């Protein structure tokens, strides 16, 4: 299990993770479906220090060269994931860990953190990569050997795990076994569904297209619990006082950066960039300013690139 997930467990044991989730996230990036953005607010320090690829680096990847010529990195993502990638209605920036990584990758390729975030869902992201609608997908994309038959994955860049959310005050649900016989909500097309099928085969699984719909359904009494990745649940509980995280993560989920299948040169290019920001401590700083505002302790060690099947 990832170091930050272990830290989350320690937090839950000592002061209650649900209370810790009320801390405010800090790091920002930019993006939007309709345009290109270049500046950042509180993430400026990290992004300002982020590296830029040399001409030799770019020469190794035709895809990177094409993005440099275009002047914008097109990212398949989401702007409704607190702590990961959420659009700030006041500043217009997109804030969070994934958003900050996307800005740093754009700067590495283009020379400036110019990104265009195109909303994707678990059900559309593979098609968008295949058709070239987006250059990358940075959206809590768990690497699996099965998915790697359709998508190339750089990374992993983060480890997390599936967790259970209930309405605050609910009792009797603390681990997957408690979900048997219950109606459990999950986002369609995610590893949450697979994890539930494996760990709680007696649960009735009801799926929705987005995390927001799952939260709404839980509040409307359409389910007893909601299962998703801890990073997502942390952000949702940060904004919604009705939610609580019950128990501890029960899987280990390696996140990867989704790329078009077969583009091995771009995969090597992105992995080289990941190594550079990790070695410079920029990955760790981005984590501390986003997920680290909820999970106590120092930033975890980034996962080893290529360390999981499918990466």
């Amino acid at each position: 299990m990832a170091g930050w997930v272990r830290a989350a467990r320690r937090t839950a044991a000592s002061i209650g993770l649900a209370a810790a989730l009320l801390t405010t996230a800090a790091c920002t990036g930019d993006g939007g479906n309709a345009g290109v953005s270049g500046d950042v607010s509180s993430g400026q320090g990290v992004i300002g220090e982020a590296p830029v690829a040399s001409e030799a680096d770019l020469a190794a990847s035709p895809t990177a060269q094409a993005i440099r010529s275009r002047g914008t990195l097109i990212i398949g993502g989401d702007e409704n994931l607190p702590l990961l990638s959420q659009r700030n209605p006041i500043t217009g920036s997109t804030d969070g860990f994934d958003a900050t990584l996307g800005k740093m990758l754009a700067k590495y390729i283009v020379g400036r953190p110019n990104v265009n975030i195109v909303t994707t869902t678990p059900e559309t992201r593979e098609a968008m990569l295949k058709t070239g609608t987006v250059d990358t997908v940075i959206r809590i994309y768990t690497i699996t050997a099965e998915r790697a038959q359709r998508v190339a994955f750089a990374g992993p860049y983060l480890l997390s795990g599936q967790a259970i959310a209930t309405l605050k005050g609910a009792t009797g649900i603390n681990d997957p076994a408690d979900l048997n016989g219950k109606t459990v909500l999950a986002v369609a097309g995610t590893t949450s569904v697979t994890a539930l099928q494996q760990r709680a085969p007696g649960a009735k699984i009801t799926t929705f297209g987005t995390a927001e719909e799952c939260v709404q359904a839980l509040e409307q009494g359409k389910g007893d619990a909601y299962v998703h990745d801890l990073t997502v649940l942390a952000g949702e509980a940060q904004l919604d006082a009705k939610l609580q995280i019950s128990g501890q993560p029960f899987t280990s989920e390696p996140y990867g950066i989704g790329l078009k299948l077969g583009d091995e040169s771009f995969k090597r290019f992105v992995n080289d960039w990941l190594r550079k920001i990790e070695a410079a401590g920029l990955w760790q700083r981005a984590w501390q300013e986003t997920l680290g505002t909820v999970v106590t302790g120092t930033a975890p060690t980034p996962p080893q690139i290529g360390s999981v099947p499918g990466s």
Side-chain angles (χ1 to χ4, degrees), residues 121-132:
T121 69
E123 296 171 308
T124 63
R125 56 195 173 189
E126 291 176 2
M128 287 186 167
L129 285 169
K130 184 177 181 179
T131 60

Side-chain angles (χ1 to χ4, degrees), residues 258-277:
L259 309 170
K260 189 173 184 177
L261 184 66
D263 195 344
E264 292 301 315
S265 63
F266 192 44
K267 178 177 176 178
R268 288 192 294 271
F269 179 90
V270 175
N271 278 334
D272 286 344
W273 161 76
L274 271 174
R275 292 186 183 97
K276 288 178 181 178
I277 65 168

Side-chain angles (χ1 to χ4, degrees), residues 35-38 58 63-74 102-103 105-116 135:
V36 176
S37 54
L58 289 168
T63 298
Q65 294 174 53
I67 296 169
R68 167 70 71 89
S69 297
R70 183 201 305 143
T72 306
L73 176 66
I74 304 174
K103 296 292 281 187
L105 179 57
K107 183 184 175 186
Y108 186 67
I109 299 173
V110 177
R112 287 177 54 80
N114 294 348
V115 301
N116 182 4
D135 301 313

Side-chain angles (χ1 to χ4, degrees), residues 227-252:
V227 169
H228 209 322
D229 194 279
L230 179 61
T231 54
V232 176
L233 295 184
E236 290 172 338
Q238 179 196 41
L239 299 177
D240 192 334
K242 296 178 182 178
L243 297 183
Q244 66 181 16
I245 294 178
S246 303
Q248 301 172 346
F250 58 90
T251 66
S252 180

